[in-house]
Amino acid sequence: MAADLAKRRARGGVIKRNVHAQSGPRREYLAFLLAGETYAAPVKEIREIVKPPPLTPVPRAPDSTMGIVSVRGQLVTVIDLRRRLRLAESQASRRTRILLVEAPWGEQLGLYVDEVQQVYRLSDAEVEPAATALGGDVASYIAGIARPMQQVSTEGGGGEQPPVIVLLDLQAILAS
């Protein structure tokens, strides 16, 4: 994962941190894309990132279950986060990944995402609690909205606005 982040920084630019946002405790979140939007989950809940091996469909499985895969001899059920969050579906690309996480009942599950981006270290000041305005049946999956105070700039100068990141409650997603 660290090598992927180094490559991304080399491709996309240098991350400069805002010194005012560096005070206080920080939590690490892994950011990834789903249907063109940036989402993130706590790094401590993600065991591994793998390229998707061939999926085996499971008859009569819930709609969000894509199938099962074998990861080093262990069968893992793969959940499509886009379907679970009722987002638009898209074709898999070479950047598609599966995030391996452990469910509360001890089973290892895979979460299918469009692309893994980077790790953000966020302070409490950068995270807003999930608003009830988000509404809908997926609101319980949202832990908060992050607005990183980091500035991303490209080598040619100029800044790029940091993204608004939807923080997911993986335990709520896995429990449903």
Side-chain angles (χ1 to χ4, degrees):
M1 187 162 74
D4 284 345
L5 293 177
K7 288 179 187 175
R8 290 178 200 283
R9 287 185 177 142
R11 276 195 326 242
V14 177
I15 296 175
K16 296 179 180 178
R17 297 190 186 279
N18 182 336
V19 292
H20 300 294
Q22 299 216 0
S23 61
R26 297 182 156 274
R27 296 187 190 108
E28 292 184 323
Y29 292 89
L30 179 67
F32 49 86
L33 287 179
L34 291 172
E37 301 292 328
T38 303
Y39 291 80
V43 167
K44 67 181 182 182
E45 296 183 29
I46 298 170
R47 302 264 181 213
E48 188 175 348
I49 302 169
V50 296
K51 287 185 176 182
L55 285 161
T56 303
V58 177
R60 296 184 296 278
D63 183 47
S64 61
T65 300
M66 298 181 76
I68 56 173
V69 296
S70 176
V71 179
R72 289 183 290 282
Q74 181 181 2
L75 291 180
V76 175
T77 302
V78 177
I79 297 168
D80 187 342
L81 271 181
R82 293 173 298 191
R83 290 182 193 165
R84 185 64 60 95
L85 297 172
R86 304 196 194 295
L87 300 171
E89 295 192 30
S90 62
Q91 295 290 325
S93 74
R94 64 181 182 84
R95 294 182 179 198
T96 300
R97 295 290 182 268
I98 295 174
L99 310 178
L100 298 180
V101 298
E102 188 166 318
W105 55 91
E107 180 182 357
Q108 191 166 357
L109 298 174
L111 302 174
Y112 200 79
V113 301
D114 295 339
E115 177 182 340
V116 173
Q117 293 187 313
Q118 71 179 67
V119 173
Y120 285 95
R121 296 185 71 232
L122 301 172
S123 68
D124 289 342
E126 297 170 294
V127 177
E128 299 170 19
T132 55
L134 292 172
D137 53 348
V138 297
S140 62
Y141 301 154
I142 310 295
I145 304 295
R147 300 177 195 273
M149 294 180 201
Q150 300 172 338
Q151 293 183 345
V152 179
S153 64
T154 58
E155 289 183 20
E160 183 179 312
Q161 195 72 342
V164 173
I165 302 170
V166 179
L167 303 178
L168 296 178
D169 182 345
L170 289 186
Q171 297 309 312
I173 291 172
L174 297 175
S176 63

